[in-house]
Amino acid sequence: MPRFLGDDFMLPVLDPLNTPFYTTGSLQMQFCRACDAAQHPPDDVCFSCQSTDLEFRAVPGTGTIESFVVIHHPIHPALRDKVPFAVALVSVDGADGCNVMGNVLGAEVEDVAIGKKVDVRFEEVTNAQTGETLKIPQWALA
Ligand SMILES: [Zn+2]
């Protein structure tokens, strides 16, 4: 899937904490092995119990829109053909308390609403500078 906003936009710099999220093609959330809390973004320490025994687990890739914003003004010339578009904050099923932000792909902005169910979609892109293939999570209305 080509990137919704175009391939010229910056890509995340991969590190051990974000590589599962951006490269696996499944929605990977970080969980604490000590207390089973989920957290996002990933960190070296559990936000709940301060354990450092953390792991990534795949979750179903579904969620609910908690909030969203509609972008009307193209702050970059490359966005001129993309507006209006919606960016949603999604509570992720299977990872209580975790929200993931992403563009809402393939929807009219009038159809985006708080409480609507969404499914993850992955935008695959190869970083020309590093050769790394990323699979960036975005959302689509279910
Ligand atoms: Zn914990």
Side-chain angles (χ1 to χ4, degrees):
M1 171 189 299
R3 293 176 72 195
F4 172 68
L5 294 181
D7 289 334
D8 294 334
F9 284 89
M10 289 176 47
L11 293 169
V13 176
L14 295 179
D15 63 36
L17 284 176
N18 69 18
T19 294
F21 185 78
Y22 285 122
T23 63
T24 58
S26 62
L27 194 57
Q28 295 284 323
M29 303 302 288
Q30 190 182 44
F31 288 82
C32 176
R33 287 190 183 110
C35 76
D36 209 39
Q39 61 186 23
H40 186 78
D43 203 323
D44 291 322
V45 175
C46 174
F47 302 156
S48 296
C49 75
Q50 289 73 54
S51 171
T52 56
D53 190 11
L54 300 158
E55 66 179 351
F56 288 90
R57 297 180 203 158
V59 294
T62 56
T64 304
I65 295 175
E66 294 293 330
S67 186
F68 71 99
V69 62
V70 175
I71 309 297
H72 291 277
H73 179 72
I75 59 169
H76 187 281
L79 295 175
R80 227 177 263 136
D81 298 342
K82 305 296 182 184
V83 294
F85 66 93
V87 179
L89 187 66
V90 172
S91 65
V92 174
D93 293 342
D96 286 350
C98 292
N99 295 325
V100 171
M101 192 171 292
N103 297 316
V104 181
L105 307 178
E108 298 297 325
V109 294
E110 297 80 13
D111 295 334
V112 178
I114 292 171
K116 283 205 171 178
K117 298 292 187 186
V118 290
D119 296 317
V120 71
R121 297 285 187 274
F122 293 94
E123 291 184 329
E124 186 169 322
V125 59
T126 299
N127 185 325
Q129 294 172 337
T130 65
E132 298 162 332
T133 298
L134 290 87
K135 297 172 183 173
I136 301 172
Q138 305 286 3
W139 299 106
L141 295 178

